[in-house]
Amino acid sequence: MTPKPRQFDIAGLQYKAQQWGSEAGHPVLALHGWLDNSASFSRLAPQLANLNLVALDMAGHGQSDHRPGSAPYNIWDDVADVLAIADALGWQRFSLLSHSRGAIISALLAGAFPERVDKMVLVEGLFPEPVSSENAPKQLADSIRKNRELGDKPLRVFADLNAAVKARTQGMFPLSEGAARALTERGTVPVVGGFSWSTDQRLLAPSSFKLTRGQIHAFISAITSPARVLLADGGMPKLYPGFTEAAQQYPQLEVITLEGGHHLHMEDQAEKVASYINDFF
């Protein structure tokens, strides 16, 4: 199934996307993880039934524009982007299928605008990393310093696409060659001497502010839509002990743990992940 390219012009920025399924299908926005892009759903999407699935390249990722100036990439700005794109599609109510950072954005959106979201499947993500009130000044300072540092840092250049694919397999969360190639083909641009990532380097900087544990609890508690949270036994629960138990405290969340790693929806477990999504939607 070949996806249809889509483009949205929102607040002076151009957002690219890929659309799978039928226009008559259930409206679903798909949000990828940190440093990924809409190709995150390229293996999963053809296995999903009766959906009108629009997978976004979030700001600064894939083929979408970078945010202007020196502003950091705060997740609440992405919440506003997603709502604006849903409006552009004419979707008053819609569902969300999201991975990692995209799942965090979805949870905040569903907590702040529960009337807009009818269902969610969150893969390997839910809670943003909290910060204590006492550490807020340090958080802001670290964000500004890192943004300045990244602004002066030259882009890494790979001699060819295969070299970039190899580097992507060895990221924070290891990927198979096939999964890494899908992300790399959409996430690189040709430059003098080879290829560079299209991703905005400022995404490597910390957020200027982060939510406290109490604020995070308030957002998750405000979610009214049914939500299925799919976790990988080698992913978030392994990286953050207690993650599963924390998610299970919320009655509107159905938490399911599957075998696999953080990108299980892009790997050999994609068929099983698809079955849980199809059953839910």
Side-chain angles (χ1 to χ4, degrees), residues 248-268:
Q248 289 172 334
Q249 295 178 16
Y250 298 92
Q252 73 274 47
L253 306 181
E254 179 191 11
V255 183
I256 299 170
T257 302
L258 304 173
E259 290 184 6
H262 184 60
H263 286 83
L264 74 167
H265 66 300
M266 297 188 71
E267 304 287 7
D268 291 339

Side-chain angles (χ1 to χ4, degrees), residues 73-97:
Y73 283 81
N74 294 310
I75 51 180
W76 43 84
D77 293 324
D78 293 288
V79 171
D81 293 343
V82 173
L83 279 178
I85 290 168
D87 290 343
L89 286 162
W91 294 354
Q92 181 58 33
R93 281 180 63 81
F94 55 93
S95 291
L96 291 159
L97 167 60

